[in-house]
Amino acid sequence: GADNKRNLCAHGVCGDGDVEAVLAKCDHVIDRVYHTKANQQAMMETFRTYTYLDAYGRLNVVSSTQVPFHARRILAHALDIPKSKVRVIKPRIGGGFGAKQTVVSEVYPALVTWKTGKPAKIIYTREESLIASSPRHEMELHVRLGADKEGNIKAIDLYTLSNTGAFGEHGPTTVGLSGHKSIPLYGKAEAFRFTYDVVYTNVMSAGAYRGYGATQGQFAVESAVNELAEVLGMDPTVLREKNMVRQGDKMPAYYGETANACTLDKCLKKAIEMSNWDKYYPAKDMGNGKIRAMGAALAMQSSSISNLDIGGMTLKLGDGGFYNMIVGCTDMGTGCDTILAQMVADVLDTDVDNIATFGVDTDVSPYDSGSYASSTTYLTGRAAVKCATQMREKIIEVGSKILDLEKSKCEFNGKFVYEDENPDNKISLADIVAKAQSAPYGALVVTVSEQSTVSPPPFMAGVAEIEVDKETGIVELINFSACVDCGTVINPNLARVQTEGGLVQGIGMAMYEDIIYGENGRDFANSLMQYKIPTRLDMGNIDVAFESSYEPTGPFGAKSIGEIVINTPAPAICNAISNAVGVRIRELPATPVKVLKGIMENNK
């Protein structure tokens, strides 16, 4: 759909049913325009790379990246050298959130090293990271929502205009999620239409940021649902219970997939129970010039990109009976190395401490698309289970040969391969490795690549409790209650901190974070003094819970959790502000100036 002569990066239309005809029959039609600004990922570790030539004249690149294999491809193309001349190594890194899904810092030291033969490095300052990176796409979203008198949503029409900045980085792909991951939340609608345009402008090139377009789309659609509830005089949670997607529903707007694992209804019920909804909904005057109020929102995301992303793993059985786990996905603080080791340990009946994890090295690791699109636990996790299962079979096979038994008569308990009917007839894992190294049994190494034909969505409900000062417009977040359906929770501690971290980023987007561009495209929010991210004092109390479902295609029934957790704060907080003082914020962030201005206009 691109048309460069019109400054158009991408265009698309999809739908199901006759939207105009259905809207014409609706008793109520919400027609609103919402605007989300660009947001910075603001990861703790800025962009940084160092490069050197090894003894074989190959370019070695050590970088803080989420996509080592893509970085190798892009560098080889940029320098016009074969991929075989480039090796990319990902050490332990300090966050990414999508910013390091783009090759930002790698090309410059690579060029210096390739031309001079000397080592080179570049470390971005915070200012450089804020002015030369790839923030979230600014979007304007036009939503039309039609419903009958009983609150049954009949039609959804969404038009998204996305600002990709000076280049097309992620432009054609991010915009799709604004519709495909917001409209399906209300899949009972008779018709939907999703149209988008992506345009070039003279500001920083936009890129990937946690939520990847779904965040913007869900702010708009969820805000429209909240506005519909106001028109109907209905509790927004009741309206959602009536219309939300449920397990077994087919989702035409979500690529025709079926929600095989969905406890969204339980998530909403749980989030309400965790909150003070019954006490403060819609609002309560606290008697000190402040109004306490509640707001709600739903969200969905995905688990990898179906029929495209690849997850890979190699397992080697080492001397003494420990395992080397070599992965191609990038742990950037998300804990995926730990989760994958847990999965492997479970299949192989061993302890996590018996698994030595080897981070990404494009010379050694199996190919992996990279850590994005909420893919690691679900997709690389599938590869981990498959790889460990094949390793288990291989251990039993070699062990049975050493014991001179048929494979079908042997079992493996994590430490020994033994005869099923005579457990004393056994051989230890360490002895199997030793004999395999000096006999024709073959190396105990397994490599697996995995792809998925589906992308099962995780679901989430969020409830915000806020307090608005009517004299100043200042909004204070008191509590945020969230309940997530990410399938089987593999590691509850890591899932909890993922959820809390994503909620804080969503709170920042809703209330504080704002990129201010000059007329020539210069970013004036070029430090953390100007670009406000929430501190611990700004986020209130965060309460997290999980409602498990079982995803049949996922490892141990798991789905993703990385991105969905950022999506509910913005619409929930803006809903609460509207309930408190009657000011509907349709352009983020919901700053005190906007709230106070709305209060003053309402009082005219």
Side-chain angles (χ1 to χ4, degrees):
D3 184 351
N4 292 335
K5 292 179 181 178
R6 296 175 55 216
N7 235 23
L8 192 66
C9 174
H11 168 78
V13 184
C14 67
D16 185 49
D18 190 334
V19 167
E20 297 299 337
V22 176
L23 284 172
K25 294 188 295 183
C26 289
D27 297 308
H28 300 283
V29 176
I30 296 293
D31 190 332
R32 302 287 189 270
V33 175
Y34 302 92
H35 184 199
T36 63
K37 299 286 200 68
N39 298 118
Q40 294 280 7
Q41 296 88 346
M43 59 283 169
M44 285 197 292
E45 180 196 42
T46 60
F47 300 99
R48 57 197 59 210
T49 302
Y50 71 86
T51 55
Y52 60 93
L53 294 184
D54 63 20
Y56 303 99
R58 298 176 70 231
L59 178 66
N60 283 240
V61 180
V62 183
S63 185
S64 185
T65 177
Q66 295 174 232
V67 286
F69 286 93
H70 288 321
R72 180 182 66 179
R73 169 180 56 83
I74 292 166
L75 286 171
H77 180 70
L79 298 177
D80 197 23
I81 60 178
K83 286 183 188 177
S84 60
K85 292 286 187 181
V86 183
R87 176 190 184 191
V88 177
I89 301 164
K90 190 281 306 180
R92 301 299 287 180
I93 69 174
F97 308 117
K100 295 169 184 175
Q101 196 180 318
T102 302
V103 172
V104 175
S105 62
E106 288 84 351
V107 172
Y108 309 112
L111 180 63
V112 170
T113 294
W114 191 249
K115 288 296 184 183
T116 67
K118 303 292 185 182
K121 72 175 178 179
I122 188 167
I123 298 175
Y124 280 35
T125 63
R126 179 60 61 184
E127 180 182 1
E128 288 165 343
S129 284
L130 289 172
I131 66 172
S133 58
S134 50
R136 188 187 296 284
H137 289 74
E138 176 188 17
M139 291 186 187
E140 184 179 271
L141 305 107
H142 183 186
V143 183
R144 292 197 297 162
L145 203 63
D148 62 20
K149 292 175 182 176
E150 287 73 39
N152 296 298
I153 296 174
K154 298 292 187 181
I156 304 174
D157 185 20
L158 174 64
Y159 169 69
T160 301
L161 178 64
S162 178
N163 179 2
T164 193
F167 302 98
E169 188 77 46
H170 295 272
T173 50
T174 305
V175 69
L177 278 64
S178 68
H180 292 304
K181 293 176 185 174
S182 58
I183 297 170
L185 282 166
Y186 305 99
K188 294 181 175 61
E190 295 174 12
F192 82 89
R193 180 171 58 202
F194 172 42
T195 311
Y196 61 80
D197 288 309
V198 184
V199 294
Y200 296 104
T201 64
N202 68 330
V203 297
M204 288 179 355
S205 177
Y209 182 12
R210 192 179 204 164
Y212 201 79
T215 314
Q216 298 96 306
Q218 286 167 16
F219 168 66
V221 171
E222 286 300 281
S223 293
V225 170
N226 285 326
E227 294 203 50
L228 175 63
E230 289 178 17
V231 171
L232 291 166
M234 184 181 290
D235 184 318
T237 63
V238 174
L239 179 62
R240 287 180 168 87
E241 286 171 1
K242 186 186 284 280
N243 291 281
M244 70 171 66
V245 62
R246 294 175 186 268
Q247 188 155 304
D249 288 355
K250 187 176 180 182
M251 301 175 286
Y254 188 68
Y255 320 108
E257 287 193 25
T258 299
N260 292 318
C262 175
T263 56
L264 183 56
D265 52 341
K266 293 180 181 178
C267 287
L268 180 57
K269 184 178 179 182
K270 182 71 172 178
I272 294 169
E273 289 173 356
M274 292 159 58
S275 72
N276 290 315
W277 189 267
D278 294 336
K279 186 175 180 180
Y280 295 119
Y281 172 78
K284 183 178 179 180
D285 193 326
M286 304 304 287
N288 55 358
K290 295 183 179 181
I291 306 290
R292 188 77 61 97
M294 308 296 295
L298 303 180
M300 63 178 284
Q301 199 71 37
S302 62
S303 302
S304 80
I305 304 174
S306 58
N307 300 303
L308 181 66
D309 285 347
I310 293 175
M313 177 175 285
T314 294
L315 273 177
K316 297 197 299 182
L317 186 57
D319 293 353
F322 75 95
Y323 300 93
N324 281 114
M325 185 181 80
I326 306 165
V327 294
C329 65
T330 300
D331 191 328
M332 49 184 165
T334 53
C336 65
D337 285 354
T338 301
I339 286 170
L340 295 171
Q342 282 182 278
M343 292 180 181
V344 169
D346 193 283
V347 174
L348 291 169
D349 285 321
T350 191
D351 192 270
V352 174
D353 291 339
N354 200 38
I355 297 168
T357 303
F358 191 86
V360 191
D361 180 334
T362 56
D363 273 9
V364 179
S365 303
Y367 179 81
D368 194 292
S369 310
S371 291
Y372 58 85
S374 302
S375 62
T376 46
T377 295
Y378 175 74
L379 187 60
T380 311
R382 283 171 50 131
V385 171
K386 193 172 181 180
C387 193
T389 301
Q390 290 184 17
M391 174 60 80
R392 186 183 183 93
E393 292 299 310
K394 204 161 192 175
I395 290 168
I396 295 173
E397 182 181 344
V398 173
S400 65
K401 287 179 180 178
I402 295 171
L403 293 171
D404 197 21
L405 295 168
E406 293 181 20
K407 182 182 176 184
S408 60
K409 294 182 178 179
C410 290
E411 289 290 341
F412 176 55
N413 64 4
K415 294 181 179 179
F416 296 92
V417 172
Y418 59 91
E419 187 178 359
D420 198 15
E421 295 179 357
N422 180 19
D424 290 334
N425 185 17
K426 62 186 179 181
I427 181 170
S428 71
L429 202 56
D431 288 342
I432 290 174
V433 180
K435 291 183 181 295
Q437 288 173 341
S438 58
Y441 297 117
L444 287 160
V445 180
V446 176
T447 297
V448 161
S449 287
E450 186 74 348
Q451 197 172 42
S452 179
T453 57
V454 293
S455 179
F459 297 93
M460 180 180 182
V463 174
E465 178 185 340
I466 59 106
E467 201 166 80
V468 182
D469 188 322
K470 293 187 291 182
E471 296 297 320
T472 63
I474 291 174
V475 179
E476 181 184 358
L477 180 65
I478 307 298
N479 291 295
F480 199 96
S481 305
C483 187
V484 186
D485 161 23
C486 57
T488 301
V489 181
I490 301 296
N491 186 312
N493 286 336
L494 286 174
R496 184 173 302 279
V497 296
Q498 277 274 58
T499 306
E500 291 170 349
L503 288 172
V504 172
Q505 288 181 311
I507 291 163
M509 177 183 179
M511 301 174 67
Y512 306 108
E513 300 177 34
D514 196 2
I515 291 180
I516 306 296
Y517 289 121
E519 64 178 39
N520 294 322
R522 181 182 175 187
D523 177 16
F524 290 116
N526 57 12
S527 79
L528 295 181
M529 289 293 288
Q530 282 78 34
Y531 187 79
K532 306 288 188 181
I533 61 174
T535 70
R536 182 63 192 91
L537 299 176
D538 301 314
M539 62 185 74
N541 178 61
I542 293 176
D543 199 6
V544 172
F546 300 94
E547 279 288 351
S548 296
S549 61
Y550 187 87
E551 171 50 48
T553 65
F556 302 102
K559 297 186 287 186
S560 74
I561 196 171
E563 291 181 278
I564 183 165
V565 291
I566 198 173
N567 295 337
T568 57
I573 290 169
C574 289
N575 180 213
I577 293 170
S578 178
N579 288 336
V581 290
V583 176
R584 173 60 64 177
I585 302 296
R586 298 192 182 96
E587 180 183 83
L588 296 178
T591 59
V593 170
K594 292 177 186 174
V595 176
L596 185 59
K597 185 178 178 182
I599 292 172
M600 294 169 68
E601 288 177 354
N602 289 343
N603 291 336
K604 283 181 181 178

